[in-house]
Amino acid sequence: MRIAIPRETHDLERRVAATPDTVSRLIALGHEVTVEARAGAAAGFANDAYRSAGAHVEVDPETVWSKADMILRVRPPRDDQIAWLRSGAILTGYLNAATSPDLLETLAGRGVTSLAMEAVPRITRAQSMDTLSAMANIAGYRAVIEAAGYFGRFFGGQMTAAGRFAPAQVLVIGAGVAGLAAVGAARNLGAQVRAFDTREACRDQVHSLGGEFLTVDIEESGEGSGGYAREMSQSFLDAEFALFREQAEEVDIVITTALIPGKPAPRLWHADMVARMKPGSVVVDLAGEQGGNCDLSEPDETVVSDNGVVVLAPTDLPSRMAETASTLHGNVVVNLVEHLGGREIAIDMDDEITRAMTVTHDGAVTWPPPAPEPAPTPQPAASEPEAADATAAVAAGQPPTRPAAELGTADRQRHRAWLPVTGLLLAAVWVYLRWQFGGPGQATGTEAQAFVQHLTVFVMACFVGWHVIWNVTPALHTPLMAVTNAISGIIILGGLQQGSRPLLGADGSVEPVAVFGLAAILLAMINVAGGFLVTQRMLRMFRKG
Amino acid sequence: MNQVLLSIPYLAASVLFILSLKGLASQETARRGNLLGIIGMTIALVATLSAAGVAPASRMYVVITLLVGASIGTVMATRVAMTAMPEMVALLHSFVGLAAVLVGFGSWFGPHGETALGRTIHLAEIFIAVWIGAITFTGSVVAFLKLRGQVSGKPLLLPGRHWLNLGTVIASLVLAVLFVGHLAGHPLVLLVIATVIALWLGAHLVLAIGGADMPVVVSLLNSYSGWTAAAAGFMLANDALIVTGALVGSSGAILSYIMCRAMNRSIWNVVFGGFGSDGTAGGGAADGATAGEIRETSVGETARELLDADRVIIVPGYGMAVARAQHAVHQVTEILRGRDVDVRFAIHPVAGRLPGHMNVLLAEADVPYDIVQEMDEINDDFPETDVVLVIGANDIVNPSAQTDPHSPIAGMPVLEAWKARRVIMLKRGRAAGYAGVDNPLFYHENTRMLFGDANQTMSALVGEL
């Protein structure tokens, strides 16, 4: 297959989709590779380096585009470039599929198969093809370096004979890949770092990099279940902003990393927060391209606020480390080619990863991909620390849902059926009683009343049990059975009522009620003692490593 | 006796039971939860004893009975091996069922209320409590015997068994109407006949269920024992019994549902399906198609492969419980972890004969619970795993659940062990799994079989490492 690597034409873009090293790997797979002249120049890869790796270097862009079976790009192509493409060619690169429907139409109209690099699903198997994480890592690191360039002080604290300096205080908002990389980089420069995220799961990751973890604890104020997330979201945001205002007065450097895929970035760092910051402080907004997290952000401009705070919103951070970024991107592309078959490249629409990435195919737009079919249990976001959209949670201002609760909710919903059943049963009882005591004013009798009261208690207890049990962790299901064994020994109360009668009746014969009662006491007591003790024994064994 | 005085301690006990179950949400709070349950039970007992107005002549009998019961329970709880937990749980279920039957008969001898309606309601409650109690009793006894291996694990499939079941249910309904309405003969005789029928039904229902479905059966009986207690609560007008019974009943129902989902079957299919008969037929057909070469390996080679690995996942199954190999497994785990091998455990929801059985066994062997993971957590990680050690598990790693639509276990979620670089299966013999389904994983090119008793093999492995 003829693979071509054209020069990137976007302003400020210095990356290239293949390095001489990855070109030689593609050739080893059996492909013919053409590189447009000076394609790697901005990233530090000379034409000669590509030539010696085995690639053909072509000067005319139109030839590069029109002769290729597969085009490797970083940024989306321009319309004139798409016009050069052969029908049936494969195009890979960032396509911003969610926000550029026109581009997809154009590509589909041209008969091009397009693979969007940003659409790689976030599953373990696809990690080697995840360039977003690789780029986010660079962006987070570089954001700290950019901030350092504008910041007039040391990051680390120093005590010298000529004076002492406190360490810089850095706040990172969003502990996704970019955020964590920023925490690590700032920490390594000697700053004191704190990171904000809504997800409790990030706590350990932030700690592991030496940062302090901040979050808004909404669970305390509103512990409850089912549907409170939406209602809480406004009060949650208020709490979050109050925390930020407090932090604004303390910190010297703020790095914001909140992005929602396919949507404008949320405004998290307001003008009044900037106004509270000390002169000379720096805000680096990694969401500049999507509209910015900070009110003052102007993409690729250096804004200085009235009180002397520098606000940066660079959109080309990975490009500022073009060689590293290109190497990572190039490796990912080779992994993708291998995933597509290596030597014989084919688009297998039954493959989960390929399907998710393919946004145009056979003349049709195939975005968005259908929801994954088997969808076992919802994959808890927390178990994917690499999630670059981690900050989406910050952005949406929604509290993280605990996976157990999620599971429970899904199952409860699937089992809505038992609600109507209960309703029907209750209706049946009501109809019976109504039939029995039809006329108005007719006494129902205390026994019937008592029965209905017991029924009330019973139904309520079923509800409580249903909700409580779903939260039991599967690892403790055996202890759960043992403990329910023990408490179902409560039937001993029945035995006690009957066993407490005199064993011998008035005429001296043995009372069967008392005998039955005593036997019931014996059996139930075995349950009570055995159940609780064995539970205790089992629970004592569970230990954390 | 004063019901009003009792209702407050009963309320306290009910709340404590709810908190007790809530505590089981995580390992950290579970022990406190159990303690709350004990406190709740103590409150209920003491309150009842003080209010029941125990006749002086019976006081001694009651106390002695309580003490004897408590001692038997204590001995059972301390003696039982963790591998025998399913049996113990089943046995305890049967006690609840039998106690309910006894209390039900006791109630029959007592007063039945003042009004005609009250009488009808009370008699109906007695009938229901005795009937469910009897089913729970014999069902649990049969389950207990099956788990102990004293009754064959194969489903007993009487001809026309669905009609038999239907007939007994209809007969019970007729008896119930006659009993409640005082329509025929001596009511006590009717109740005894109904009890015998229910006893037979309970035994027959469980006899017809195959050994592989035991986790569902035990959960289901757990649920029955709860409903039994709730029915007794209606009968005795006792709210503490009603609440507790409802809690236990829902708990068992949820567990049964979880187990069924883990096997991709409906509860009806498990209870009435007679699984195993279809299974063997399907297995036989599959034999010719999948039978291939089995590659055996040795303990020495296994040790080498484990030491060379970076990531190891251990999949325990019922075979580990039978061989009591959990301690040797833990030693192997510790040695490997000491050499910086990433070892984790993958637990299928229906591994073992009880929900959460494997977790308890591993905890007993001191395996930290944070490296023990559920199927959904770990299934995506198999492709990056160097060695998967399958210890006495078969159906839960059977790829034909995904590949062969005709397999009896088709569609059941399974651990995707075959995606790992190397699968080592410890197995006692060459027979198929409990479900009687052949497993293509045995013949997979990445699979090596290590035949022998799991405990001896693992101990040998410890020596080799």
Side-chain angles (χ1 to χ4, degrees), chain B residues 288-332:
Chain B
T290 55
E293 195 189 341
I294 283 184
R295 300 172 189 79
E296 277 194 57
T297 185
S298 67
V299 171
E301 199 178 320
T302 305
R304 223 172 6 263
E305 278 184 311
L306 286 173
L307 287 175
D308 286 344
D310 289 327
R311 288 193 201 85
V312 172
I313 294 180
I314 301 179
V315 180
Y318 189 51
M320 184 187 84
V322 173
R324 293 164 202 258
Q326 66 267 32
H327 293 282
V329 170
H330 173 238
Q331 281 178 310
V332 169

Side-chain angles (χ1 to χ4, degrees), chain B residues 6-27:
Chain B
L6 274 176
S7 60
I8 299 295
Y10 284 176
L11 177 64
S14 306
V15 170
L16 285 167
F17 289 157
I18 293 170
L19 291 177
S20 162
L21 296 180
K22 195 170 181 302
L24 290 176
S26 83
Q27 280 90 342

Side-chain angles (χ1 to χ4, degrees), chain B residues 105-363:
Chain B
F105 272 91
S107 282
W108 189 84
F109 290 107
H112 294 306
E114 289 130 25
T115 62
L117 178 68
R119 190 178 168 76
T120 310
I121 293 178
H122 194 240
L123 286 177
E125 287 166 348
I126 291 179
F127 192 89
I128 294 174
V130 169
W131 198 72
I132 305 183
I135 290 186
T136 311
F137 173 56
T138 44
S140 303
V141 169
V142 172
F144 169 74
L145 293 174
K146 276 200 170 192
L147 286 166
R148 288 196 58 162
Q150 285 167 339
V151 167
S152 157
K154 280 196 193 129
L156 168 80
L157 302 174
L158 297 178
R161 62 208 160 85
H162 296 312
W163 294 111
L164 273 174
N165 288 338
L166 190 64
T168 48
V169 171
I170 291 174
S172 303
L173 278 177
V174 171
L175 285 168
V177 171
L178 293 178
F179 174 76
V180 171
H182 264 266
L183 294 176
H186 197 290
L188 185 57
V189 178
L190 295 177
L191 189 59
V192 171
I193 296 176
T195 312
V196 172
I197 290 182
L199 288 173
W200 181 82
L201 182 62
H204 178 234
L205 278 177
V206 178
L207 276 172
I209 299 177
D213 287 337
M214 274 301 148
V216 186
V217 174
V218 177
S219 317
L220 210 54
L221 291 168
N222 185 243
S223 184
Y224 288 173
S225 74
W227 304 129
T228 308
F234 275 100
M235 177 174 77
L236 302 166
N238 186 323
D239 282 342
L241 269 170
I242 296 178
V243 171
T244 315
L247 290 177
V248 177
S250 351
S251 162
I254 292 174
L255 288 179
S256 318
Y257 169 67
I258 294 175
M259 293 301 110
C260 284
R261 200 185 42 183
M263 299 194 298
N264 192 34
R265 323 227 331 254
S266 74
I267 191 83
W268 301 112
N269 184 281
V270 171
V271 177
F272 299 115
F275 199 58
S277 57
D278 308 346
T280 34
D287 254 345
T290 55
E293 195 189 341
I294 283 184
R295 300 172 189 79
E296 277 194 57
T297 185
S298 67
V299 171
E301 199 178 320
T302 305
R304 223 172 6 263
E305 278 184 311
L306 286 173
L307 287 175
D308 286 344
D310 289 327
R311 288 193 201 85
V312 172
I313 294 180
I314 301 179
V315 180
Y318 189 51
M320 184 187 84
V322 173
R324 293 164 202 258
Q326 66 267 32
H327 293 282
V329 170
H330 173 238
Q331 281 178 310
V332 169
T333 310
E334 284 304 301
I335 294 172
L336 291 176
R337 270 157 64 92
R339 303 216 181 172
D340 281 337
V341 180
D342 175 31
V343 185
R344 286 179 298 163
F345 287 82
I347 309 292
H348 192 278
V350 292
R353 291 290 172 269
L354 200 62
H357 194 187
M358 291 298 128
N359 300 85
V360 169
L361 293 182
L362 293 174

